[in-house]
Amino acid sequence: MMDPASLRAIALRQFRRSWVGQVGAILVVLFLIVTVLAPLLAPYDPIATDFANVLSPPTRTHPLGTDDIGRDILSRVIHGSRVSLQAGLFTVAVALTVGLPLGLLAGFRGGRVDDLIMRGIEVILSFPTLVLALGITAVLGPKLIHALFAIGIVFVPHFARLIRAQVLTVKENDFIAAAEALGASDVRVMRLHVLPNCLAPILVQSSFSIAFAILTEAALSFLGLGTQPPTPSWGIMLAMGRGYLEQAPWLGAFPGLAIFVTVLGFNLLGDGIRDALDPRLKT
Amino acid sequence: MIQFVARRLLATVPLLFFVSVVVFSFVHVLPGDPAILFLGEEATPETLAQFRARLGFDRPLSTQYLEWLGRAVRGDLGRSLRTNQPVTEAILQRLPVTLELLGAALAVSLAIAIPAGIVSAVKRNSGVDLASTVFALVGFSLPNFWLGLILIYVFALLLRWLPPSGFVPLPAVADNAKSLILPALTLGTALAALVTRQLRSGMLEVLRQDYVRTAQAKGLSQGVVVGKHALKNALIAVVTVVGLQIGGLLGNTIITESLFALPGVGRLMIDAVFSRDFFIVQGVVLFLAVGYVLSNLIVDVLYSYLDPRIRLG
């Protein structure tokens, strides 16, 4: 068996060779920089209105124009990235907090525990993602935190299934039998031997899930069920742009572009990592 | 085959039961009191109690669930809190629009993806291959509500070729088609991207097989080899990806119908969410989930027909 350090080196080499992964990584790093430095990068306060300057097209002072109450679109797009990052991280955290123990338990214990957990997961998977997220948001009330919680719950089955499958593979290795023979407890075996072997697929799934969470948060906000005004969110900005499509098309163009580039970045990064870890899956 | 279908059908029954429990819990178990959400925070305790009693919310949950399930099985999903219209009737009225949109989106996506996927695999590493690979990567990440806005801007507002929103029902075929082109493109592009990608890799895999080489060695034309031998086997991958994406399509109909003001089931749900008409929301979620489970069943059966190893395994 190859030692983990050389496996990592091979994966890293594969990743460096893939233009898909590299473009993804660059886009994601740019997104993170914008998010962290938002207050420094944004030229204006994202919620400050300027009624002398409403619906201004892109100019030197407002490079992406202004909206219907004179707010600077560039500043709102920059600050909107924070809502998107929050959406991605929070939902993946919810999905992992619930999905990781469920997947580990189902895969490690097997038998009735596995059956029970897998049936539960099948039930959640019986709902189209957005329908379930909308249903939960409808009952809890339209707030960003409710929308994010709903999206996180919808992701749980994907993580739990993935981790279970990984555990089932890892469980067959001799080193697990050896650890058990040495008297290691289930928790210790899972924590020290099973979990580290699940990290790579979790990373791939997380990248795709963050992309999907950003899209879903924007969709729910676009429908008026996610982030509420005046907080700058790309989905809300697009919804506003819809009303001024003929008069001021830039209102919707830039937040849409921001969603697209960010989602593309996380999807490409996920593709790149997946291909590097298992070149057989390359499509 | 019949045994396989019967086995899958049998497995669906308990699944549907648990789905019904989840949908029921939406209104009754999740935090958030439907009476307060419907009547508002300022409602007096008496009004709230009256509301709960009128809808039977004051009885034990198990009794409420069994009654609700009994009625749901007979097709009675309750009445709208706002209009008093039976929920089933409201859904069935709007269903044809949603089905037409889904069908059109599926047709658009396959019409783009099948030629793109085939040409991309057959002419590997060519300009066409690069273009379709870029489309496959980009199309999947495009937010469909943004794509919809771009399509409306270009084709309805700038060129004035198509209507920006609204729906013309059949039998006005031409106008009906015109009102569905942009929504179908909006809904179908992501699926087209996924299918293109899947079909390309499926075709590349199949084109490497010995039987394809044998067919080529026999002197069969490229068209026959690709169309008759390779495509048929690569289509299994298409059925898989379409099957996996039905849920995504159903969810995205909500956004598409809302964006283009199409009077379908998704629009009904959004309107109900805003007017806090819980029974409509509950009914639509149950209806879409049952539809999703059944369509997965159909995909499984179709898949096992195309690849007998599935049902024999």
Side-chain angles (χ1 to χ4, degrees), chain A residues 6-27:
Chain A
S6 32
L7 279 175
R8 241 195 318 270
I10 293 173
L12 210 61
R13 203 163 50 234
Q14 287 281 354
F15 185 78
R16 285 210 193 102
R17 278 194 203 140
S18 130
W19 68 269
V20 166
Q22 289 199 26
V23 172
I26 293 170
L27 293 178

Side-chain angles (χ1 to χ4, degrees), chain A residues 49 228 252:
Chain A
T49 53
Q228 297 299 310

Side-chain angles (χ1 to χ4, degrees), chain A:
Chain A
M1 193 177 156
M2 235 183 229
D3 81 288
S6 32
L7 279 175
R8 241 195 318 270
I10 293 173
L12 210 61
R13 203 163 50 234
Q14 287 281 354
F15 185 78
R16 285 210 193 102
R17 278 194 203 140
S18 130
W19 68 269
V20 166
Q22 289 199 26
V23 172
I26 293 170
L27 293 178
V28 169
V29 169
L30 278 178
F31 167 72
L32 293 177
I33 291 174
V34 169
T35 309
V36 173
L37 301 180
L40 298 175
L41 294 174
Y44 300 91
D45 177 350
I47 52 173
T49 53
D50 175 5
F51 290 102
N53 236 329
V54 295
L55 296 178
S56 152
T59 57
R60 237 165 219 244
T61 43
H62 295 286
L64 304 185
T66 61
D67 68 8
D68 61 339
I69 47 173
R71 291 175 299 195
D72 180 58
I73 293 181
L74 175 62
S75 306
R76 289 182 67 74
V77 168
I78 290 174
H79 278 274
S81 66
R82 296 191 143 193
V83 173
S84 290
L85 182 68
Q86 206 184 333
L89 295 184
F90 183 85
T91 49
V92 169
V94 169
L96 268 177
T97 310
V98 185
L100 184 71
L102 285 180
L104 281 175
L105 206 63
F108 203 73
R109 278 283 158 85
R112 291 181 76 174
V113 175
D114 183 26
D115 272 350
L116 195 72
I117 293 174
M118 292 322 286
R119 290 299 83 79
I121 280 169
E122 230 173 88
V123 172
I124 299 185
L125 284 175
S126 303
F127 293 89
T129 310
L130 196 65
V131 174
L132 189 59
L134 258 177
I136 297 175
T137 317
V139 178
L140 295 180
K143 265 190 195 160
L144 176 64
I145 189 75
H146 295 159
L148 297 186
F149 173 73
I151 304 168
I153 292 296
V154 170
F155 283 169
V156 167
H158 301 279
F159 279 92
R161 279 225 293 213
L162 178 88
I163 291 158
R164 174 182 175 271
Q166 200 64 19
V167 172
L168 289 179
T169 318
V170 175
K171 217 167 76 170
E172 296 307 313
N173 284 308
D174 289 340
F175 63 85
I176 300 288
E180 279 172 343
L182 285 171
S185 67
D186 282 1
V187 175
R188 189 180 162 83
V189 171
M190 276 200 248
R191 194 166 53 87
L192 288 182
H193 301 287
V194 178
L195 198 56
N197 284 292
C198 298
L199 288 181
I202 291 177
L203 198 65
V204 176
Q205 182 65 34
S206 300
S207 192
F208 290 131
S209 297
I210 290 176
F212 194 74
I214 291 175
L215 262 185
T216 314
E217 183 280 323
L220 288 174
S221 299
F222 179 76
L223 293 170
L225 291 164
T227 314
Q228 297 299 310
T231 310
S233 144
W234 293 340
I236 292 186
M237 294 173 75
L238 256 178
M240 184 185 287
R242 179 185 174 186
Y244 295 95
L245 203 52
E246 198 157 18
Q247 212 180 335
W250 57 88
L251 247 70
F254 297 112
L257 191 65
I259 302 173
F260 167 58
V261 172
T262 310
V263 170
L264 183 68
F266 280 102
N267 275 336
L268 294 183
L269 181 65
D271 273 347
I273 304 175
R274 188 191 53 196
D275 293 348
L277 293 172
D278 188 356
R280 281 170 307 167
L281 295 174
K282 201 167 182 171
T283 50

